[in-house]
Every structure is written in C-alpha cells, then in structure tokens.
C-alpha cells in the first residue's frame, strides 16, 4: 500500500484554531500569532527538557539539575521558574504575563544562542491575561518536545498551520506563503545537498534547512559538511526561524534586515553550492525601480511590477560555477509574455541555465490557490559528477499527482516524490538510477532548439504530450453506440423527473 502520510496531519489543528477563536475577542490575528508561537516554543523546549530530566533522574550516576547534561545533547537548559509546569500552575493568575516574560528572560540568560529571539511582551496591559491562561491550558494537553513529537517536526508544522490560517484571517491575497512540507522534500531530494553551502534568500521559518539536515542524516552524510545561510525580511518570521533552528541544534547563519534581500543582500559576496527558495509570488511593490542597474541582472532587468524574475536572477547570481538551485514560483512565470520577463527567460534558456521544470498539482499551499511550478537552475551542464547534458532540458508534468488531505489542500505522496526525483536523477545520469526514458504525459527531455521553437515557453504540458491510453479492444462504433444509448436513457429519465416535479408543484398550488 502506498505510504501517503508524509506528515500532513498533526491531529490537534482544530484545537489550536479553537483557541485562536477564543482569544480573538480584542486581539488582531497577527498579534495573536506572535503570542501563540512564543508559547509553543516555550512548551516545546520545556517538554524536551522534561523528557531528559526524567531520564537522568532514573540514572543514579546522573544529576538532573546539572545544565551540562542537557547542553551535551543540544537540549536547552530550562531554569525552574521557566518550566512549563510552573506556567501551567499559574495560568489563572493575573500576573501570568509577567511570569511568562520572566521565563523567557531566564531562558535567554541561560542559553546565549537564543539572545534577542524570544518574545518578552506578555505583560503588556493590552494583552488579555485570561486568554493567555486558556492558551496555556490548551498547550498543556499537547506533547511537543518528546522524541515522537520531534520526529513529526511538530514546531515547524504548527507554524505552517498557524501561518496559513492567520494569513487567511489577516486577509492576505498574496505575498508570504509557507512552503508545503511535501514540496520542500521534493526540492531537497532533487538537489541532494550533501556537502557545501546551502542558501535560502527568503528563508521563512527555515523549513528548507530543516529538510536539508534531515536529508543528510537519512543518507548517512555528515551534518558538518553543509553550512547553512539564510535571510528573512519579516522580523517575527526570522525569530521563528532562529527558534526552529535552535530546537534542532542546527548551526545556521540567518540574517534579518528591514530592507530585504533585494535591497540589502546580507551575503552579497558569497556564492553557494545549493540554493532552495520559495519567494513570495508575484510581488509588485519590491522597489525594482531603484535597482535598474544592479549587478545581479546579467540576463536583463526584471520588470518593476513583478519580482519573480528578480528572485531567479538573484539566485543565479549567487550560484557557484557548479551550483544548482530549486525555486518555487507561480505558474505564470513559465510562460509570461511581459517583455522584460520574456527577455530574461530567453537569456536563461539561450545560456543553458535551466535544467528542469516541474508543473505541480493545484491546492498544495495553505494560503493560496495560485498554481505553482518548480524551476531547477544550474550554472553548468558539463560532466561534473553527472553526464554532460548541454542544450537539454527536462520537463516533468506532475499536475495529476497528489491526494487531498482535507477539503481544500493536497499533498504529494512519498512515492510520487520518489518518482519525480528518480526521473530527474536518471536524466542527469546519476550512478545507479537506471536509464532515463521519456514518458508521454509525464516527462520529456527536450532540446534547446525545441524550446526555442516553442517561443521559450517552459510549461511542461507543452512538451510531455498526452498520456498513452491503453486500448481496451472495443471498436469505436460499438463504444459510440453504447454511449449514445446511455445518453438517451438519461435524457428520458430527466424528462420523467421534470414531469414529476411539475406535478408536485401543481399539487402545492404553484402550477403554471
């Protein structure tokens, strides 16, 4: 049986949202997000601490009150007054806001890597303390820091859930979209970041980094072989990323500034082996008019009214000579005829920088229904560990993949991620991946000339063709006669139903 559960359901989303509703009386959605996520982090590290505490207490040779025992395993030392049990016992006190602030201060003091990261404004008069108490009661029922919860990446997924729901509650029509878990896995598995520098120029809460580390672990690599760099413009999200990295013990250089990656590139002198990114789609007010002569626009200046090609150019600019990148963008980026965008896309193709294009199924994102695609870019298709594939591009149409995890959202299964990844790896000639073959309706290795003949449109559906349908051996005339017979029978049934409805209406005194 196919393994379709790659982490879609935590099981307590409804409870979390119920709590949000309970607190929303006098509080803005974005404000509540900040309050709740700070508490979730506190609960997470307190649970992890408590699990280790119990383990040490059972060992006669260990001291559960010795901070070194925890630091040795990348578990944060939580002072007594900051432990969740203390917060839970005081949840109904009017001073709970100050108690939380003091807990945050104490944790930052004992754990320097968290300095300046944790929220410490729970005692402000405008915050409803009863609502905070209810939230503590709710989170007390949820395990977040034990091994089982860690293996399910609870903090990151709670963040994903909150971001999606609050983005909707805040009425955002576009902008910041949290990258779905299955899409992050697909990006990472395609690029295989085993060794070198990994970069995300709009890193959100750090989901790409978490998955990169997991990939290295799962494939018996050494975590020290990759160095992680990220930049995030949203300060609250940056703090979440810092917390996200902290609870996993990931050493990452994540920068924040209010100007953002385009206008204040924190790593402007660095080149990277792997770049993974899910930039906000179709941003129109990105300040492009102030960057017309920027050094990153080697392939043409992106339009001032849409940042999509600015992101792609920024990423290519930062790739090492043998580097590769995977980028999530809106589908329109593959075929737009806007003059500046078409020029940049044409130059990408003519200079052989596009390696693979994937059309994704719809409904993958929490907070937008915009269809999305994946761009895979490379600075070199010469034989550098893979086969030489100059002047070739791979197109994959995955629009029919995925399954509905709820009424509105879809996920890719592990098997589908594996199928897409294996296709790409076979095409680029990785050892042990078998022989690549085109599959009508799914994948096609096209030449650069074919792309030119298609006016530089990169939509996979244009290249992969129609899926082959197995011939059932029934002659066309026979099928047509059967279908026609069925149609006439249904039309007759429709007429009978219309007559019955008319008769019933007349019986009720509503005849025509």
């Amino acid at each position: 049986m196919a393994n379709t559960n790659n982490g879609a359901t935590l099981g307590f989303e409804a409870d979390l949202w119920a709590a949000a509703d309970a607190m929303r009386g006098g509080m803005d959605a974005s404000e509540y997000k900040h309050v709740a996520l700070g508490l979730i982090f506190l609960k997470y590290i307190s649970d992890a601490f408590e699990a280790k505490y119990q383990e040490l207490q059972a060992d006669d040779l260990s001291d559960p009150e010795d901070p070194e025992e925890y630091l040795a395993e990348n578990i944060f030392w939580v002072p007594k007054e900051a432990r969740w049990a203390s917060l839970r016992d005081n949840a109904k006190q009017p001073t709970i806001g100050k108690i939380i602030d003091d807990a945050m201060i104490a944790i930052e003091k004992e754990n320097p890597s968290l300095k300046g990261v944790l929220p410490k404004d729970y005692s402000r008069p405008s915050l409803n303390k009863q609502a905070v108490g209810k939230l503590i009661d709710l989170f007390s029922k949820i395990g977040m820091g034990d091994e089982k919860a860690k293996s399910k990446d609870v903090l990151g997924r709670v963040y994903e859930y909150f971001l999606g729901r609050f983005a909707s509650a805040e009425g955002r029509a576009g902008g910041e979209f949290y990258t779905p878990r299955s899409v992050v896995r697909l990006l990472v598995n395609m690029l295989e970041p085993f060794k070198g520098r990994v970069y995300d120029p709009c890193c959100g809460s750090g989901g790409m980094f978490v998955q990169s580390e997991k990939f290295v672990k799962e494939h018996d690599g050494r975590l020290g072989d990759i160095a992680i760099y990220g930049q995030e413009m949203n300060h609250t999200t940056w703090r979440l990323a810092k917390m996200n990295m902290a609870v996993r013990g990931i050493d990452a250089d994540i920068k924040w500034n209010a100007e953002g990656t385009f206008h204040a590139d924190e790593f402007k002198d660095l080149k990277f082996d792997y770049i993974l990114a899910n930039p906000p789609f179709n941003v129109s007010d990105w300040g492009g008019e102030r960057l017309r002569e920027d050094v990153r626009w080697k392939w043409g200046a992106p339009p001032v009214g849409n940042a999509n090609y600015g992101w792609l150019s920024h990423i290519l600019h930062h790739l090492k000579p043998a580097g590769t990148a995977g980028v999530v963008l809106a589908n329109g980026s593959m075929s737009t005829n806007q003059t500046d965008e078409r020029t940049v896309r044409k130059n990408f193709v003519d200079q052989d920088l596009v390696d693979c294009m994937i059309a994704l199924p719809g409904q993958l994102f929490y907070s937008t229904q915009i269809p999305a695609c994946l761009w895979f870019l490379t600075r070199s298709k010469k034989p550098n560990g893979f086969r030489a594939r100059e002047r070739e591009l791979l197109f994959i149409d995955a629009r029919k993949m995925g399954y509905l995890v709820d009424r509105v959202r879809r996920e890719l299964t592990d098997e589908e991620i594996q199928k897409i990844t294996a296709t790409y790896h076979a095409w680029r000639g990785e050892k042990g991946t078998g022989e690549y073959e085109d599959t009508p309706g799914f994948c096609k290795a096209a030449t650069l000339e074919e792309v030119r003949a298609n006016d530089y449109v990169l939509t996979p559906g244009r290249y992969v063709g129609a899926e082959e349908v197995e011939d059932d051996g029934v002659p066309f005339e026979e099928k047509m006669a059967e279908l026609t017979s069925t149609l006439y029978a249904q039309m007759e049934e429709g007429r009978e139903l219309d007559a019955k409805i008319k008769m019933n209406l007349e019986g009720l005194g509503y005849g025509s």
Side-chain angles (χ1 to χ4, degrees):
M1 180 179 172
N3 175 14
T4 56
N5 183 10
N6 54 34
T9 306
L10 290 169
F12 51 83
E13 290 95 332
D15 287 342
L16 287 176
W17 194 247
D21 279 344
M23 292 194 64
R24 291 283 294 285
M27 195 182 301
D28 182 74
S30 59
E31 186 183 14
Y32 171 69
K33 177 172 68 179
H34 189 63
V35 169
L37 289 172
L39 282 178
I40 288 169
F41 178 76
L42 204 55
K43 177 69 165 60
Y44 189 105
I45 64 168
S46 192
D47 278 10
F49 171 85
E50 188 60 32
K52 184 65 184 174
Y53 189 96
Q54 297 298 333
E55 181 187 322
L56 293 172
Q57 202 168 36
D59 181 356
D60 293 338
L61 300 177
S62 301
D63 177 9
E65 292 294 340
D66 179 3
E68 294 299 324
E69 296 276 8
Y70 300 84
L71 295 175
E73 295 191 25
N74 279 330
I75 295 171
F76 292 107
W77 167 254
V78 183
K80 277 186 181 176
E81 65 275 22
R83 295 173 193 171
W84 190 261
S86 174
L87 301 186
R88 185 191 60 213
D89 294 345
N90 288 288
K92 303 293 189 296
Q93 299 297 321
T95 55
I96 185 61
K98 184 171 188 316
I99 292 171
I100 297 170
D101 285 346
D102 289 344
M104 297 289 191
I105 292 167
I107 290 171
E108 283 196 1
K109 186 178 176 184
E110 295 290 340
N111 302 277
S113 64
L114 295 176
K115 189 176 180 183
V117 170
L118 304 183
K120 297 177 283 291
D121 55 355
Y122 288 84
S123 57
R124 63 186 187 275
S126 60
L127 187 61
N128 182 332
K129 304 303 183 295
Q130 274 191 331
V132 172
K134 287 180 183 176
L135 205 53
I136 291 172
D137 286 344
L138 181 81
F139 290 162
S140 293
K141 299 172 186 171
I142 303 168
M144 295 188 184
D146 58 20
E147 285 306 313
K148 187 178 176 185
K150 279 183 178 177
S151 69
K152 293 173 73 177
D153 188 18
V154 169
L155 182 64
R157 290 160 63 195
V158 166
Y159 174 76
E160 175 179 356
Y161 174 81
F162 269 59
L163 187 62
R165 295 303 299 262
F166 280 109
S168 174
E170 291 167 42
R172 292 179 184 172
E176 186 179 288
F177 305 135
Y178 190 82
T179 318
R181 191 176 155 83
S182 64
V183 175
V184 177
R185 288 193 64 227
L186 176 58
L187 279 169
V188 170
N189 288 8
M190 290 279 284
L191 295 185
E192 301 178 301
F194 273 118
K195 190 174 184 179
R197 290 176 180 156
V198 179
Y199 170 56
D200 183 344
C202 39
C203 68
S205 67
M208 302 285 188
F209 304 144
V210 172
Q211 192 58 45
S212 295
E213 293 263 344
K214 282 181 182 171
F215 178 85
V216 173
K217 280 183 186 173
E218 287 168 6
H219 293 80
D220 299 325
R222 292 196 317 157
L223 290 182
D225 283 348
I226 62 170
I228 289 172
Y229 302 83
Q231 184 167 345
E232 174 54 45
M233 186 179 181
N234 181 311
H235 191 257
T236 303
T237 308
W238 170 80
R239 286 162 59 176
L240 253 294
K242 296 284 285 185
M243 287 190 262
N244 206 0
M245 298 301 104
V247 295
R248 291 172 173 82
I250 296 175
D251 186 16
D253 187 356
I254 301 178
K255 306 285 192 188
W256 168 84
N257 65 53
E259 291 80 17
T261 300
F262 284 128
H263 296 276
D265 183 359
E266 293 280 357
F267 303 102
K268 64 180 180 182
D269 297 323
L270 281 185
K271 301 290 184 185
F272 301 93
D273 299 278
Y274 307 97
I275 302 180
L276 303 108
N278 176 18
F281 297 168
N282 302 323
V283 173
S284 58
D285 57 347
W286 62 290
E289 69 280 1
R290 290 181 276 131
L291 297 168
R292 300 315 288 162
E293 305 300 324
D294 197 278
V295 67
R296 291 168 288 186
W297 313 151
K298 301 177 180 72
W299 304 275
V304 297
N306 191 314
N308 286 350
Y309 276 82
W311 285 113
L312 291 171
S313 299
H314 173 89
I315 286 164
L316 271 170
H317 170 79
H318 274 291
L319 273 183
K320 281 186 175 180
T324 53
V327 188
V328 188
L329 274 183
N331 266 4
S333 63
M334 299 188 288
S335 58
T336 171
N337 270 327
Q338 198 279 341
T339 304
D340 292 336
E341 291 178 321
R342 187 186 177 283
T343 299
V344 178
R345 188 172 70 244
K346 176 179 180 299
N347 289 331
F348 285 171
V349 172
D350 284 340
Q351 295 182 32
D352 216 6
L353 300 169
V354 181
D355 208 27
C356 175
M357 298 296 302
I358 300 177
L360 294 172
Q363 297 178 273
L364 283 177
F365 288 77
Y366 269 100
S367 48
T368 178
Q369 295 298 314
I370 297 176
C373 63
L374 301 182
W375 289 68
F376 288 90
L377 306 170
T378 182
R379 293 304 294 267
S380 173
K381 295 182 184 176
K382 295 185 184 301
N384 53 2
F386 311 120
R387 74 176 179 90
R389 55 191 189 284
E390 290 104 325
R391 304 174 71 80
E392 289 181 40
L393 297 85
L394 178 65
F395 292 93
I396 296 176
D397 190 347
R399 287 177 298 170
K400 293 180 181 173
M401 290 184 164
Y403 70 105
L404 284 170
V405 292
D406 56 38
R407 192 170 53 83
V408 295
R409 206 171 63 82
R410 188 174 292 275
E411 287 232 351
L412 295 169
T413 67
D414 290 343
E415 288 74 16
E416 288 166 341
I417 291 170
Q418 171 61 23
K419 181 180 178 182
I420 296 170
T421 303
T423 301
Y424 176 59
H425 291 171
W427 173 76
R428 69 176 182 178
E430 288 191 36
K431 287 181 183 173
T433 56
E435 195 75 24
Y436 169 82
E437 285 186 14
D438 288 345
T439 304
F442 176 63
C443 63
K444 162 76 176 173
T447 63
L448 201 149
E449 286 68 30
E450 286 176 89
V451 177
R452 285 175 177 155
N454 278 283
D455 197 27
Y456 295 94
V457 168
L458 296 176
T459 309
R462 183 168 290 210
Y463 299 89
V464 302
E467 190 175 357
E468 285 183 352
V469 179
E470 193 174 338
D471 187 359
D472 56 8
V474 181
F476 171 78
E477 293 75 11
E478 193 175 320
K479 277 187 189 171
M480 195 62 196
E482 184 182 340
L483 287 170
T484 306
S485 173
T486 303
L487 178 62
Y488 284 139
Q490 288 173 338
M491 291 167 72
E492 180 58 32
E493 188 179 350
R495 279 192 289 273
E496 290 173 7
L497 286 171
D498 285 345
K500 283 182 183 175
I501 292 169
K502 187 180 177 192
M503 188 174 69
N504 288 337
L505 286 171
E506 287 172 348
L508 293 170
Y510 294 101
S512 57

